Amino acid sequence: MTYNKFAFALGAALAAASVAVAPLAAAQEVTLLNVSYDVARELYKDVNPAFAAAYKKSTGVAVTIKQSHGGSSKQARAVADGLEASVVTMNQANDIDMLADRGLVVQDWAKKFPHNAAPAYSTMVYLVRKGNPKAIKDWGDLAKPGVQVIIPNPKTAGNGRYTYLAAWGSVLKKGGNEAGARELVGKIFKNVPILDAGGRAATTTFTQRQIGDVLVTFENEVGMVRAEFGDNFEVVYPSTSILAESPVAVVDKVVDKKNIRKEATAYLNFLYSDAGQEIIAKHYLRPRSEAVFKKYAANFKPITLFTVDEVFGGWRAAQKKHFDDGGEFDKIYSSK
């Protein structure tokens, strides 16, 4: 074989080898996009490196997780409009149902992971200024004249939607009727000076802009605020509140297109692991693991909770009646 022929043959062999090796190398690095709700930023900043380290150790595959946060419903619409989320980690089932209706997520997504695909849950509580100068104790106090209430927009934020439903349901659970619930919620929203788009913006309005007498938000958010700001605020638990689940789902259309289903599924399963449940509890979300819940029980005051299914007939019915355009919320807020 002449030198030129040998060089050509060697070059061809090396090129073939590089083609064979390149896909293997690429397969060892995967990027996921977690599209999530507003007040879950800090949670996933801790979850992501813990999962990546565990997954690399067990499989040899390096996974990078990118985060996107905003109002839950706003985030869901972004995914529906083309944001290529690998997974969605929301604060209400309604937003994932919408993605299922668009064909991005399977219809039975809630059966793909334990506990209706919700590895954590929370509830709505009050954050008041030190000393609780307005003596706020329960939902009726939020409707009193002269009380400014900070709640994010129920049209864009799951935080605001849960607050609305918690106040409405509190009347029904005490034996009241729909008219009484509508009256209470109407008075509460008349006391809302600003409708922020998301829960974190509402927290900023209350804590940093010093607007309002009470912030209604997730229990895990008030835990974060108190950890950051110390004794400037106090937490008040109402007599009853709503079970606020944090559901998760693989975005099937995206993961199949990118061939990353295995990694995306493992990422969500990690949330149910002992390590994942520990991180969840440390961020003041209520874990599903009984052992972990018991370990962090001091963070979670006992409270009577009701569900969206129990009081409102499920998220689809609640959405249609209360939050669709022209629904109860629009009627209440337009008369403010």
Side-chain angles (χ1 to χ4, degrees), residues 5-220:
K5 288 183 178 179
F6 174 77
F8 178 81
L10 179 60
L14 289 172
S18 67
V19 170
V21 171
L24 181 62
Q28 302 306 305
E29 296 183 6
V30 172
T31 298
L32 303 177
L33 173 59
N34 175 9
V35 175
S36 190
Y37 61 103
D38 209 19
V39 301
R41 301 167 194 268
E42 290 77 18
L43 169 66
Y44 286 104
K45 282 180 181 178
D46 284 351
V47 166
N48 293 347
F51 164 74
Y55 197 73
K56 180 70 177 292
K57 183 177 181 180
S58 64
T59 67
V61 178
V63 179
T64 299
I65 304 100
K66 295 182 178 180
Q67 298 179 219
S68 173
H69 295 274
S72 184
S73 297
K74 184 179 179 181
Q75 291 290 85
R77 285 195 293 271
V79 174
D81 290 340
L83 180 60
E84 291 196 322
S86 314
V87 300
V88 287
T89 56
M90 299 301 192
N91 60 26
Q92 57 175 313
N94 194 42
D95 290 328
I96 303 180
D97 283 337
M98 184 270 286
L99 297 177
D101 291 342
R102 298 289 185 92
L104 294 164
V105 173
V106 294
Q107 286 290 336
D108 64 344
W109 62 268
K111 297 179 181 179
K112 298 299 182 181
F113 298 93
H115 300 289
N116 294 318
Y121 65 101
S122 189
T123 190
M124 309 312 295
V125 300
Y126 313 146
L127 190 70
V128 298
R129 305 200 182 279
K130 186 175 182 180
N132 193 7
K134 293 296 179 75
I136 293 166
K137 298 179 180 178
D138 216 340
W139 295 103
D141 296 322
L142 306 186
K144 292 179 178 178
V147 175
Q148 282 197 327
V149 187
I150 303 301
I151 303 169
N153 192 342
K155 302 282 277 190
T156 58
N159 182 318
R161 201 163 296 169
Y162 274 119
T163 296
Y164 174 106
L165 295 177
W168 191 287
S170 72
V171 175
L172 301 183
K173 291 297 288 183
K174 291 180 179 179
N177 56 24
E178 293 282 315
R182 186 179 297 107
E183 180 183 7
L184 174 66
V185 173
K187 287 181 178 179
I188 289 174
F189 276 91
K190 279 183 171 63
N191 285 344
V192 177
I194 298 171
L195 272 185
D196 289 303
R200 184 52 54 82
T203 298
T204 299
T205 293
F206 183 72
T207 60
Q208 297 183 26
R209 297 175 64 193
Q210 294 291 306
I211 296 173
D213 301 300
V214 53
L215 170 71
V216 189
T217 191
F218 292 117
E219 180 183 40
N220 56 294

